[in-house]
Amino acid sequence: MVTLAEVAQHAGVSASTVSYVLSGKRSISTTTRQRVEQSIRELGYHPNAGARALASSRSNIIALMIPLRTDMYVPVMMEIAIAVATTARTHGYDVLLLTGEEGPDAVRRVTGSGLADAMILMDVQLDDERLPLLRHTDQPSVLIGLPADTSGLTCVDLDFTATGALCVEHLASLGHRDIAVIGEAPAVYERHTGFAERTLDGLRSRARETGVRLLHRPCEGGYDAMAVTLARILDERPGTTGFVVQNESAVEPLLALLRQQGRAVPEDVSVVAICPEQVAVQASVRLTSVAIPAQEMGRHAVERLMAKLDSRGTDEVVLIEPELTVRASTGPAAH
Amino acid sequence: MVTLAEVAQHAGVSASTVSYVLSGKRSISTTTRQRVEQSIRELGYHPNAGARALASSRSNIIALMIPLRTDMYVPVMMEIAIAVATTARTHGYDVLLLTGEEGPDAVRRVTGSGLADAMILMDVQLDDERLPLLRHTDQPSVLIGLPADTSGLTCVDLDFTATGALCVEHLASLGHRDIAVIGEAPAVYERHTGFAERTLDGLRSRARETGVRLLHRPCEGGYDAMAVTLARILDERPGTTGFVVQNESAVEPLLALLRQQGRAVPEDVSVVAICPEQVAVQASVRLTSVAIPAQEMGRHAVERLMAKLDSRGTDEVVLIEPELTVRASTGPAAH
DNA sequence: ATAGGATGTCGAAGCGCTTCGACAGCGAGT
DNA sequence: ACTCGCTGTCGAAGCGCTTCGACATCCTAT
């Protein structure tokens, strides 16, 4: 294993000079720099991460806490994780993957051990037990998702309230008066996941404003659960002509069931999905949808974090504006 | 930040004693140990990761390289990643998330800097450019997936050859004589991803043995691509009664299309899927399938790695035996 | 009674790096 | 000619931990 000292000797300079070449924290003459860089290349030198962390008390690692659960949005989580990892790399950081399993202890461990310089939390509950810790530590953090109380925290998320409003807006403007919302699994609502509730708020308030009737039903993924849910909805509100779906694994089952019942999309009923772009495009009907901008969220979170690490940038909530793309699943309401 | 020295002082012992309490590498009297542990708890001490890594030249971190691409098996990747992370934690290790983006350089960087003690590589190509590096370094590694030449490497994977054979076997035993294979996207075959080709080998050789005709067609995910592919298949081989699907995002489109054409499953045609359990269960028809045991693969990989880190355990290939679960999508061939 | 082996604890030497203060050398301003 | 202030380089201290050899105690076997 090549060390700094060996590089220094090879280049005929002192260790500190090599260090300054590497960090750029002091000016170095061009000739010296080139000589050192040459030696680094020839010897295949890589700075030792542990030594570096010890001496500088910065690990150049950020921790990413992902949910252990896989009952929702798996591809979204994955996409965010990948975006975080690649964006972090462009800033010279690596990413440590933590699962939610350890809960608040993970936060303590990482903060206490100096393993990571900062952290990104995904799948934040409205009243998340990790939040008090984050507020107390001086370690920078960014949440992907919005808790109930965001004071003293930096958060990045899609504006789900606006998303909900946008969906109702679209259907209402097409003349739909009875709209059913097919939501995430009941468990998601039970543990008060922010985005689900905020979407609901947006849906409801815009429904009120536009005088549209709304029926919200949580739904486990899959064909069978969807069949039961749909039957109930049509039983309670036979005149339903618009659907908003916020549950990836209910999308295709819903379309299949509608087809099977002879309800044509978009002639008889309209469907708006809140889902990743790919799902909307690959579905059996190209879906009018509001995309969940996973990459953008991951990227944003890292950028915020870097700003905090450089002590520019303050606590604030970044809400990404939703965009509704009209495709082939929505049309004027039949009357 | 609390240090070892502070704990030592608080407990009235030397720093080395505290260290030995922590590591258990030398015997410590019960009274001393308890006193030290008490101090650790009271002060909320967490060993500094960097210092530890520097002094011991072990970081207690394993690197996990995941594919950057998200054109296949996203949930599987995610599940593996989570299984790796949680299993690693039970061994006192954390997981560093690397994307394939950096390619072989990532291997060099991690090895050279001592950032991680070992690594797990996913999405291994048959002739992966990272392999020579792995063979040369003394850093332990485990591959999830099988390259062409496994000498000097430890690999964990589902036995895809046996998987392919099993699928044909099942359909053949039900009397199907014409089987179509709907595969991954063409790009997956073009970059010679091992599992896809090995599945094909298994399918073909068993087809030969059982005298069954096989037609293999790669397929992009989604409804439209599937429609085109299916039309071609039925054009070339109108008598096809059995399908093997190895492409998550083609499963539901296939079922929808078959339904639409009036081909009942399983009465008219049978479908076997190679996919995660969840997909098979949640599909519109409960699918006979060979499960991709993501968790098991992740767990296995970590266990192997730990064995190598303790210098028990040798290079070897662990192939997980496939299991076919019969559900509602396969039945006797119509004649 | 005494050597000899356990057993438990300590001091000190690093691990490879960053960073601070010191300082040599040089051109510019008086 | 002399001082002043740069610029570029160096030496040394120290980050918080592990680990090795040394050593003091105590118990057991002779």
Side-chain angles (χ1 to χ4, degrees):
Chain A
M1 195 187 191
V2 190
T3 70
L4 226 214
E6 284 164 12
V7 173
Q9 188 172 7
H10 186 272
V13 297
S14 76
S16 45
T17 300
V18 177
S19 179
Y20 287 123
V21 167
L22 249 29
S23 69
K25 291 192 180 172
R26 284 202 184 174
S27 52
I28 296 286
S29 68
T30 316
T31 55
T32 308
R33 185 194 345 281
Q34 286 173 349
R35 203 139 37 81
V36 170
E37 282 166 353
Q38 176 66 18
S39 297
I40 288 176
R41 247 172 287 120
E42 278 180 31
L43 301 177
Y45 168 71
H46 285 272
N48 179 288
R52 202 164 235 204
L54 178 56
S56 66
S57 38
R58 296 172 118 280
S59 63
N60 274 269
I61 288 178
I62 66 183
L64 175 68
M65 286 190 71
I66 61 170
L68 191 57
R69 283 180 283 278
T70 50
D71 60 350
M72 56 169 206
Y73 282 100
V74 175
V76 175
M77 299 292 175
M78 189 76 180
E79 216 177 313
I80 293 178
I82 290 178
V84 166
T86 54
T87 311
R89 279 307 304 145
T90 69
H91 292 269
Y93 279 76
D94 274 296
V95 171
L96 199 73
L97 188 70
L98 303 176
T99 64
E101 198 184 32
E102 284 177 280
D105 287 345
V107 176
R108 272 189 217 101
R109 193 166 62 83
V110 168
T111 316
S113 67
L115 232 188
D117 296 332
M119 51 194 318
I120 295 179
L121 307 203
M122 297 174 62
D123 190 37
V124 181
Q125 312 302 116
L126 275 182
D127 182 23
D128 204 292
E129 47 179 351
R130 295 165 298 187
L131 301 186
L133 282 171
L134 293 182
R135 289 207 180 84
H136 264 82
T137 187
D138 50 347
Q139 182 156 90
S141 60
V142 171
L143 313 187
I144 295 184
L146 230 52
D149 174 11
T150 63
S151 64
L153 299 172
T154 302
C155 310
V156 172
D157 206 357
L158 176 63
D159 188 339
F160 278 100
T161 312
T163 300
L166 203 53
C167 293
V168 168
E169 182 79 37
H170 177 66
L171 290 173
S173 76
L174 288 169
H176 298 273
R177 315 312 305 166
D178 256 311
I179 297 178
V181 179
I182 293 157
E184 295 285 350
V188 174
Y189 296 92
E190 276 155 26
R191 63 174 186 260
H192 296 295
T193 307
F195 80 88
E197 307 206 346
R198 281 182 291 126
T199 308
L200 213 47
D201 288 347
L203 289 161
R204 286 192 177 135
S205 66
R206 188 54 55 95
R208 221 175 300 119
E209 288 165 30
T210 53
V212 160
R213 291 215 300 170
L214 209 66
L215 197 68
H216 169 251
R217 290 291 173 270
C219 180
E220 301 280 354
Y223 196 82
D224 296 345
M226 186 65 245
V228 174
T229 305
L230 181 60
R232 276 230 220 101
I233 290 172
L234 294 176
D235 209 33
E236 293 178 75
R237 297 270 169 88
T240 300
T241 58
F243 289 89
V244 176
V245 193
Q246 181 175 213
N247 182 334
E248 276 176 54
S249 52
V251 166
E252 204 53 56
L254 173 65
L255 294 174
L257 286 160
L258 290 173
R259 222 175 285 131
Q260 193 179 305
Q261 303 185 355
R263 295 174 199 258
V265 173
E267 289 78 3
D268 302 328
V269 298
S270 288
V271 177
V272 179
I274 302 170
C275 66
E277 200 85 346
Q278 209 203 6
V279 172
V281 174
Q282 284 203 349
S284 52
V285 179
R286 291 172 49 84
L287 294 169
T288 294
S289 72
V290 175
I292 296 175
Q295 295 212 168
E296 200 178 340
M297 287 159 65
R299 246 195 4 252
H300 255 82
V302 174
E303 306 289 3
R304 289 276 135 210
L305 210 51
M306 292 300 135
K308 288 179 112 179
L309 282 167
D310 299 351
S311 56
R312 347 169 240 114
T314 54
D315 288 335
E316 70 184 291
V317 175
V318 180
L319 288 184
I320 299 173
E321 203 57 32
E323 280 176 37
L324 186 142
T325 305
V326 179
R327 298 201 183 80
S329 68
T330 53
H335 35 225
Chain B
M1 198 186 190
V2 190
T3 69
L4 225 214
E6 284 164 12
V7 173
Q9 190 173 5
H10 186 272
V13 297
S14 76
S16 46
T17 301
V18 177
S19 178
Y20 286 123
V21 167
L22 250 28
S23 69
K25 291 192 178 172
R26 283 200 184 174
S27 52
I28 296 286
S29 69
T30 315
T31 55
T32 307
R33 182 191 351 278
Q34 285 174 348
R35 206 142 34 82
V36 170
E37 281 166 353
Q38 176 68 17
S39 298
I40 288 177
R41 248 172 288 122
E42 278 180 32
L43 300 178
Y45 168 70
H46 286 271
N48 179 290
R52 201 165 237 203
L54 177 56
S56 65
S57 37
R58 294 171 118 279
S59 62
N60 275 270
I61 288 178
I62 66 183
L64 175 67
M65 286 189 73
I66 62 171
L68 191 58
R69 282 180 285 279
T70 50
D71 62 347
M72 58 169 207
Y73 282 101
V74 175
V76 175
M77 298 295 175
M78 189 77 180
E79 215 176 317
I80 293 179
I82 290 178
V84 166
T86 54
T87 311
R89 280 304 306 144
T90 69
H91 292 269
Y93 279 77
D94 274 296
V95 171
L96 201 73
L97 188 69
L98 303 176
T99 63
E101 199 184 29
E102 285 178 281
D105 286 345
V107 176
R108 270 187 220 103
R109 193 165 61 84
V110 168
T111 318
S113 67
L115 232 187
D117 297 332
M119 51 195 318
I120 295 179
L121 306 204
M122 296 173 63
D123 190 37
V124 181
Q125 312 302 114
L126 275 182
D127 182 22
D128 204 293
E129 46 178 351
R130 296 165 298 188
L131 302 185
L133 282 171
L134 293 182
R135 290 206 179 84
H136 263 83
T137 186
D138 50 349
Q139 182 158 87
S141 61
V142 171
L143 313 188
I144 296 183
L146 232 52
D149 175 11
T150 63
S151 64
L153 299 172
T154 302
C155 310
V156 172
D157 206 355
L158 176 63
D159 188 338
F160 279 97
T161 312
T163 299
L166 202 53
C167 293
V168 168
E169 181 80 37
H170 176 66
L171 290 173
S173 76
L174 288 169
H176 297 272
R177 314 314 302 163
D178 254 310
I179 296 177
V181 179
I182 293 157
E184 295 285 350
V188 174
Y189 296 93
E190 275 154 27
R191 63 172 186 260
H192 297 294
T193 307
F195 80 88
E197 306 206 347
R198 281 183 290 126
T199 307
L200 213 48
D201 288 347
L203 288 161
R204 285 190 177 135
S205 67
R206 187 55 55 93
R208 218 175 302 119
E209 289 166 30
T210 54
V212 159
R213 290 214 301 171
L214 209 65
L215 196 67
H216 169 251
R217 291 290 173 269
C219 180
E220 301 280 353
Y223 196 83
D224 297 345
M226 187 66 244
V228 174
T229 307
L230 182 59
R232 275 230 222 100
I233 290 171
L234 294 176
D235 208 36
E236 293 179 76
R237 296 270 171 86
T240 300
T241 58
F243 289 88
V244 176
V245 191
Q246 182 175 213
N247 182 338
E248 276 177 52
S249 53
V251 165
E252 203 54 54
L254 174 65
L255 294 174
L257 286 160
L258 290 173
R259 224 176 284 131
Q260 192 179 307
Q261 301 185 355
R263 297 176 197 255
V265 173
E267 289 77 3
D268 301 328
V269 297
S270 288
V271 176
V272 179
I274 302 170
C275 66
E277 200 85 343
Q278 211 204 2
V279 172
V281 173
Q282 283 203 348
S284 53
V285 179
R286 290 172 48 84
L287 294 168
T288 294
S289 73
V290 176
I292 297 174
Q295 296 214 167
E296 199 177 340
M297 284 159 67
R299 247 194 4 253
H300 253 83
V302 174
E303 305 289 4
R304 289 276 135 210
L305 210 51
M306 292 300 134
K308 286 178 112 177
L309 282 168
D310 299 350
S311 57
R312 347 170 242 115
T314 54
D315 288 334
E316 69 184 289
V317 174
V318 181
L319 288 183
I320 298 173
E321 202 57 33
E323 280 176 36
L324 186 141
T325 306
V326 179
R327 299 201 183 81
S329 67
T330 52
H335 36 224

